[in-house]
Amino acid sequence: MRPLKLNMSPINQRRWESFKANRRGLWSLRIFLFMFLVTLCAEFIANDKPLMLRYDGSLYAPVFFSYPETAFGGDFETEADYRDPYVKKLIEDKGWILWPPIRYSYNTINLDLTVSAPAPPSGENWLGTDDQGRDVLARLIYGFRISVLFGLSLTIFSSLIGIAAGAVQGYFGGWTDLLFQRFIEIWTSVPSLYLLIIIASVIEPGFWILLGILLLFSWVSLVGVVRAEFLRARNFEYVLAARALGVGTFTLMHRHLLPNAMVATLTFLPFLLNASITTLTSLDFLGFGLPPGSPSLGELLAQGKANLQAPWLGLTGFFTIAFMLSLLIFIGEAVRDAFDPRNTIS
Amino acid sequence: MTDLLKIKNLTIGFHNQGQETRAVSNVSYTIAPGETVGLVGESGSGKSVSALSILKLLPPSARISQGSISFEGRDISDLDSAALQNLRGNDIAMIFQEPMTSLNPLHSIEKQISECLEIHQEIHSDDLDPKTGSAHIRTRVLDLLHKVGIPDAEKRLSALPHELSGGQRQRVMIAMALANNPKLLIADEPTTALDVTVQKQILALLKKLQQETGMAMLLISHDLGVVKQVADKVCVMKDGEIVEIGQPQHIFTKPEHPYTKMLVEAEPSGHPGLIDEEAAEPILEAQDVKVWFPRTKNWYGKPLDYVKAVDGIDLSLTSGETLGIVGESGSGKTTLGRALVRLTGCDGQINFRGQNIDALTGTPLRNLRKHMQIVFQDPFGALSPRMSVSDIITEGLSLHEPELNSYQKIFKVRRTLEDVGLEPDSANRYPHEFSGGQRQRIAIARAIILNPRLVVLDEPTSALDRSVQAQIVTLLQDLQQQRGLSYIFISHDLKVVRALAHRVMVMKDGKVVETGTTHDIFENAKETYTRELISAAFDL
């Protein structure tokens, strides 16, 4: 993280120092980034395909390419099922297989269970299986990734729209502001959950459709802060001085006014991310979220509720969500303190 | 005579992340009962900190590392919080610089004054006066308001702070401070935020009240004039140390320490350069400029009533000339300055170098801005804290001279920085690393790098210390000589205006009171208002 420092203004350097001084926030950030980076490579950690195998003198990478079973001397033209003991034996006779640490993908069903699903944690399934015999740990890794990615996309897109809308309202003020504000008041009173349920009954919502629908309503959350900052700062003397230099409207907004609003916005972001993740989780829990079969934390919680006799489902879901949200809150608090002008300006 | 307050070897430091910054070092002075001591110094000299320590009102990061403060023979550091509470407000009262923020905006002045009576004298609002039958406390409050000279005190009881003028607010603050007959009044820059004429009245009031009540006073100010008028003894502070203590006559006539000498002599001096009458061409001509803000509107949104900030002003300016616009706060001089460079909408006709500019908008107006620039009052607010000095100064260059490559730009920036008396190498630093005076120089550099014909200077010196003011005035004079600039110099400070302006325009309530050459205005003003302004400014 050191190279970051090179092109930071002194104020940002002091903020970064003050963020680093908050050890809880710094460690939360490190742990969160580590978990996020690890889960980004979920395919290499939990997969039902080997990372690499050697068969008959040549190398294969089943994670990236699909090979028919016949390539390894099998019978079918379809993609090889490497978990099939028959295929495994075929390959290992003429080479070796390098497996990922967890030999299950999020949708791999463990067909060798000795007990009925959901199966309790064991050496094979470290966190047990869910009620369809799928490995909980593998689903957790994929679910964490999709939650964070969804949360990040929703946060980024809604901040882009929210900042732009707030900037326009705050800078122009007057009628623009008045009309926009009334529109937002009406818009926020549309019940988004019902809308989602109605849409979900017509089309099957995937990642992007769900993102789009939630985005329709989540962009308003930043408008207020950004608008207030622009309203306040547009009469600052350095903004007037820039206007007196003949700086155009767009440059003025983006070079002189936006940095002011960024403090408020960045402070908000970790909390927005938190809210986005929670929204997706609760939709999945209710069954209006991602399509059936997708790995998701909300679905894990729903299974935990349906299978109270299998506490590992509910407990895993609960602890993962609680841990992730706490990390984000700690990061958010540290960011907020670092941006507090009382800490940096004095 | 025993001393009322005795400060001995006081040293105060601010602790921040393990580092100590000395604010006050080894300061000693005494105040006798009934005496007025003036504490003078420039900003950052530690004068307020040393005064706040008397009431133990320092922020938590400050620590007294050495020395003692004793009041009536008792050491203040030994007092517990109850005794301290008793000391504050009862024996020692304090008034602050900014009367607007020192008063609670939601409470009437009666409530705020009676609050200090209730706390310290245990008079309750339901106690009745045996004689008049009305609430006892109200008579006391009225009494105080009369004493500090609030007109129509009975009607003013229920007024909220925003309904009073700045001077009246400061009078209310003084009434609150006097409510408990303090033995010592600490006045921290009591007149700095006020207009000169009001400043004079408040000082006279403080002096009168002091004679009546016999209290001692510690008057803190950066303005030697204020202290000179009131104080029996003057302490001059610099960088946390007292460099000279003495009688005011002595300090002002025969200052010993070089710093005091510098302060006393730091009056803006010099005269505006001569204008070459033949080469002079008209730069700016304005007729009937009006800026009216609608105050009330009817149901259809049609304005019914206006605040007439600028109400029909004519002016003209030739090249190389400075027009000083003076007036008290609220006279519309800043609004006029902004209207002239089209930063505020206005009615009326404005011709800039023969071109009518009052209807220009968009790109033509933006292109014209190369030739007219503005410098603002607050050197801290006028520079974006997130941009380096070179970014700030080059912003205009990139817009108006896009043909320059980055090497040429840097060259121009360095030369302009030299012209305004700054190190060329400071281009890569950020505004917060500079002092107020240096920042004002950066703001001037930003304005002149485009070689404008007209610069509107909106109170460019009023946020600065006296000695820095004088330097900026000299800089402005030099720049005008070198570049043939025309200035519109807006200020409430007549001393600075006299040093810079060829002609002066006196404004009041959006209208011109009087216009004339600087000599005429200062030597034989026709209007009483002008004469009042001048006497208030120069008699201090």
Side-chain angles (χ1 to χ4, degrees):
Chain A
M1 303 208 172
R2 193 137 298 153
L4 253 176
K5 216 172 172 176
L6 291 175
N7 41 20
M8 276 199 298
S9 71
I11 281 191
N12 284 342
Q13 274 178 30
R14 224 171 319 159
R15 283 180 181 142
W16 176 237
E17 292 300 320
S18 137
F19 179 83
K20 280 199 295 188
N22 186 331
R23 302 198 56 80
R24 192 172 65 183
L26 184 66
W27 276 104
S28 298
L29 180 69
R30 284 181 180 158
I31 296 172
F32 182 78
L33 281 180
F34 174 74
M35 285 170 52
F36 183 51
L37 289 177
V38 164
T39 52
L40 267 185
C41 321
E43 272 82 5
F44 302 101
I45 293 164
N47 209 333
D48 53 3
K49 294 171 193 163
L51 297 175
M52 184 138 329
L53 60 83
R54 189 181 178 89
Y55 176 77
D56 210 6
S58 44
L59 281 172
Y60 296 83
V63 184
F64 298 107
F65 308 102
S66 101
Y67 305 103
E69 207 180 289
T70 46
F72 309 112
D75 306 323
F76 301 117
E77 295 280 329
T78 51
E79 192 183 356
D81 177 6
Y82 302 94
R83 293 175 50 77
D84 187 339
Y86 172 67
V87 176
K88 224 159 145 181
K89 191 172 176 307
L90 278 178
I91 298 170
E92 279 173 345
D93 281 346
K94 287 187 177 177
W96 45 258
I97 302 180
L98 176 66
W99 282 97
I102 299 160
R103 300 186 184 186
Y104 294 89
S105 184
Y106 65 91
N107 54 4
T108 319
I109 296 171
N110 185 355
L111 298 168
D112 307 329
L113 286 178
T114 47
V115 291
S116 64
S122 63
E124 180 65 21
N125 302 109
W126 295 345
L127 288 174
T129 72
D130 66 1
D131 59 4
Q132 292 171 47
R134 297 174 298 198
D135 185 61
V136 170
L137 183 56
R139 289 184 70 76
L140 196 66
I141 292 173
Y142 283 88
F144 183 90
R145 176 171 75 172
I146 210 164
S147 292
V148 176
L149 282 180
F150 186 88
L152 275 178
S153 329
L154 187 58
T155 314
I156 290 170
F157 286 123
S158 50
S159 2
L160 285 181
I161 303 178
I163 289 171
V168 168
Q169 281 181 60
Y171 183 77
F172 293 104
W175 275 101
T176 319
D177 186 35
L178 198 74
L179 290 176
F180 232 125
Q181 284 290 301
R182 301 296 84 76
F183 168 74
I184 286 177
E185 272 157 28
I186 297 168
W187 190 246
T188 43
S189 61
V190 174
S192 55
L193 187 62
Y194 290 125
L195 196 79
L196 205 68
I197 295 173
I198 294 167
I199 294 178
S201 67
V202 183
I203 43 173
E204 192 193 41
F207 184 91
W208 294 106
I209 292 178
L210 207 57
L211 190 71
I213 298 170
L214 289 179
L215 191 57
L216 282 181
F217 298 96
S218 68
W219 62 272
V220 285
S221 53
L222 270 179
V223 172
V225 215
V226 178
R227 168 180 168 269
E229 284 294 331
F230 268 68
L231 271 179
R232 186 174 71 94
R234 67 174 175 162
N235 286 325
F236 277 7
E237 284 191 342
Y238 66 81
V239 178
L240 280 181
R243 262 180 70 201
L245 279 173
V247 175
T249 309
F250 181 75
T251 322
L252 203 61
M253 284 167 85
H254 124 105
R255 190 186 300 158
H256 294 274
L257 288 164
L258 192 60
N260 278 305
M262 282 324 279
V263 173
T265 311
L266 280 174
T267 314
F268 247 93
L269 281 189
F271 301 100
L272 266 185
L273 181 57
N274 239 348
S276 307
I277 292 175
T278 320
T279 314
L280 180 70
T281 310
S282 49
L283 285 178
D284 280 337
F285 179 76
L286 294 173
F288 298 117
L290 295 168
S294 347
S296 91
L297 299 175
E299 197 247 13
L300 188 62
L301 283 182
Q303 285 211 17
K305 177 175 162 273
N307 300 286
L308 288 177
Q309 83 284 4
W312 55 89
L313 294 174
L315 287 176
T316 312
F318 168 76
F319 281 115
T320 312
I321 293 169
F323 186 62
M324 170 167 68
L325 296 187
S326 307
L327 284 183
L328 285 175
I329 290 283
F330 291 152
I331 298 172
E333 278 177 351
V335 170
R336 191 185 58 202
D337 291 347
F339 275 101
D340 189 339
R342 273 170 302 180
N343 289 343
T344 47
I345 306 296
S346 65
Chain B
M1 195 161 62
T2 54
D3 293 323
L4 183 68
L5 180 82
K6 191 169 182 181
I7 292 181
K8 209 174 163 192
N9 299 337
L10 185 69
T11 301
I12 303 172
F14 283 94
H15 290 261
N16 197 0
Q17 290 164 354
Q19 286 184 326
E20 188 187 352
T21 326
R22 272 284 164 86
V24 173
S25 49
N26 220 6
V27 160
S28 312
Y29 57 89
T30 57
I31 303 178
E35 190 185 30
T36 303
V37 173
L39 205 55
V40 192
E42 305 204 317
S43 46
S45 60
K47 50 193 195 306
S48 286
V49 173
S50 76
L52 286 173
S53 65
I54 300 172
L55 286 178
K56 282 202 174 176
L57 286 173
L58 291 173
S61 60
R63 218 168 37 218
I64 299 181
S65 49
Q66 196 197 330
S68 65
I69 305 169
S70 50
F71 184 75
E72 291 185 314
R74 279 181 305 166
D75 194 335
I76 284 185
S77 55
D78 297 341
L79 297 179
D80 59 6
S81 61
L84 200 64
Q85 185 83 43
N86 193 33
L87 190 74
R88 292 179 191 154
N90 243 353
D91 290 332
I92 306 180
M94 187 149 185
I95 48 180
F96 295 94
Q97 174 173 354
E98 183 49 75
M100 189 70 215
T101 47
S102 313
L103 289 169
N104 185 333
L106 300 175
H107 288 171
S108 68
I109 58 172
E110 180 185 15
K111 192 168 175 190
Q112 303 196 39
I113 300 177
S114 28
E115 197 183 359
C116 20
L117 291 170
E118 280 174 40
I119 292 172
H120 287 287
Q121 301 191 350
E122 290 171 9
I123 308 175
H124 295 293
S125 41
D126 37 357
D127 287 350
L128 292 186
D129 192 330
K131 273 183 244 160
T132 57
S134 69
H136 183 51
I137 198 156
R138 173 164 288 184
T139 18
R140 283 293 318 273
V141 171
L142 276 176
D143 202 32
L144 282 167
L145 288 179
H146 282 304
K147 225 179 191 173
V148 296
I150 297 260
D152 281 339
E154 286 83 358
K155 286 183 195 151
R156 287 296 187 176
L157 280 177
S158 58
L160 295 171
H162 73 266
E163 297 173 281
L164 304 175
S165 70
Q168 285 174 329
R169 283 198 285 266
Q170 198 59 287
R171 282 171 196 269
V172 172
M173 283 301 297
I174 296 173
M176 285 168 70
L178 293 181
N180 301 302
N181 299 318
K183 292 175 187 143
L184 174 66
L185 177 68
I186 302 175
D188 188 0
E189 305 263 10
T191 60
T192 309
L194 305 174
D195 283 325
V196 268
T197 45
V198 185
Q199 199 169 346
K200 199 180 171 192
Q201 294 162 9
I202 294 286
L203 285 177
L205 172 72
L206 281 175
K207 203 163 186 183
K208 187 189 103 192
L209 290 172
Q210 191 195 14
Q211 277 158 8
E212 282 172 18
T213 58
M215 64 182 174
M217 196 154 75
L218 177 63
L219 182 72
I220 301 165
S221 180
H222 69 280
D223 192 342
L224 281 174
V226 169
V227 176
K228 187 180 177 181
Q229 209 186 28
V230 187
D232 302 317
K233 187 163 86 182
V234 178
C235 308
V236 183
M237 279 190 84
K238 185 190 185 240
D239 299 336
E241 288 174 52
I242 290 190
V243 294
E244 193 165 354
I245 298 187
Q247 306 284 320
Q249 304 91 319
H250 189 78
I251 293 254
F252 286 102
T253 49
K254 272 180 267 156
E256 272 158 26
H257 195 275
Y259 179 72
T260 322
K261 257 182 219 159
M262 205 262 296
L263 270 188
V264 173
E265 286 160 10
E267 292 283 311
S269 58
H271 289 284
L274 293 173
I275 309 171
D276 185 357
E277 296 279 344
E278 285 173 12
E281 48 180 299
I283 288 287
L284 187 75
E285 268 168 36
Q287 265 124 43
D288 200 23
V289 176
K290 281 181 187 158
V291 183
W292 289 6
F293 299 113
R295 180 154 41 191
T296 47
K297 289 180 181 175
N298 69 7
W299 197 80
Y300 300 104
K302 195 172 171 229
L304 296 173
D305 186 16
Y306 294 93
V307 177
K308 297 175 180 175
V310 176
D311 194 14
I313 286 201
D314 304 333
L315 60 84
S316 66
L317 189 69
T318 57
S319 57
E321 188 189 28
T322 304
L323 173 68
I325 301 181
V326 297
E328 306 200 305
S329 49
S331 61
K333 52 191 195 307
T334 294
T335 316
L336 173 66
R338 289 185 185 180
L340 289 176
V341 293
R342 295 291 318 278
L343 280 175
T344 306
C346 64
D347 289 334
Q349 204 181 5
I350 305 173
N351 288 328
F352 179 70
R353 302 168 88 196
Q355 186 191 0
N356 190 323
I357 62 162
D358 49 75
L360 283 185
T361 50
T363 318
L365 180 62
R366 260 187 236 129
N367 291 337
L368 200 71
R369 295 211 178 278
K370 181 179 185 324
H371 305 292
M372 46 189 209
Q373 279 300 309
I374 183 163
V375 174
F376 294 96
Q377 169 176 3
D378 178 10
F380 293 83
L383 306 175
S384 172
R386 294 179 188 80
M387 288 164 75
S388 72
V389 170
S390 84
D391 287 344
I392 291 173
I393 300 180
T394 34
E395 184 161 39
L397 272 187
S398 323
L399 276 168
H400 295 289
E401 291 171 35
E403 70 279 1
L404 295 183
N405 62 31
S406 56
Y407 182 76
Q408 288 167 311
K409 274 188 215 160
I410 291 170
F411 179 72
K412 269 199 124 169
V413 166
R414 290 175 70 93
R415 216 181 47 203
T416 314
L417 281 174
E418 263 176 7
D419 284 352
V420 298
L422 287 173
E423 283 286 308
D425 289 334
S426 50
N428 296 322
R429 287 154 68 192
Y430 282 82
H432 70 94
E433 300 170 56
F434 295 90
S435 69
Q438 288 173 320
R439 287 181 199 215
Q440 202 58 286
R441 285 172 194 267
I442 297 171
I444 293 173
R446 168 173 61 189
I448 62 165
I449 195 167
L450 294 170
N451 272 320
R453 304 311 312 151
L454 167 70
V455 181
V456 174
L457 300 153
D458 186 0
E459 306 251 14
T461 57
S462 56
L464 306 174
D465 284 325
R466 262 284 176 219
S467 58
V468 184
Q469 275 184 12
Q471 293 163 11
I472 295 285
V473 167
T474 319
L475 171 68
L476 290 172
Q477 285 166 344
D478 291 348
L479 288 173
Q480 184 168 46
Q481 286 290 304
Q482 288 160 14
R483 302 180 175 229
L485 292 171
S486 303
Y487 291 145
I488 289 186
F489 189 85
I490 298 165
S491 183
H492 67 272
D493 188 339
L494 287 124
K495 288 178 185 166
V496 179
V497 170
R498 189 169 62 174
L500 262 176
H502 298 94
R503 282 188 302 130
V504 177
M505 185 165 106
V506 183
M507 276 183 78
K508 194 191 179 198
D509 300 332
K511 291 200 169 70
V512 175
V513 176
E514 198 171 354
T515 328
T517 63
T518 309
H519 181 82
D520 284 349
I521 293 280
F522 281 91
E523 300 305 324
N524 33 34
K526 293 185 192 71
E527 302 291 324
T528 26
Y529 180 71
T530 316
R531 281 203 293 273
E532 268 171 36
L533 270 185
I534 293 171
S535 79
F538 289 98
D539 295 350
L540 270 184

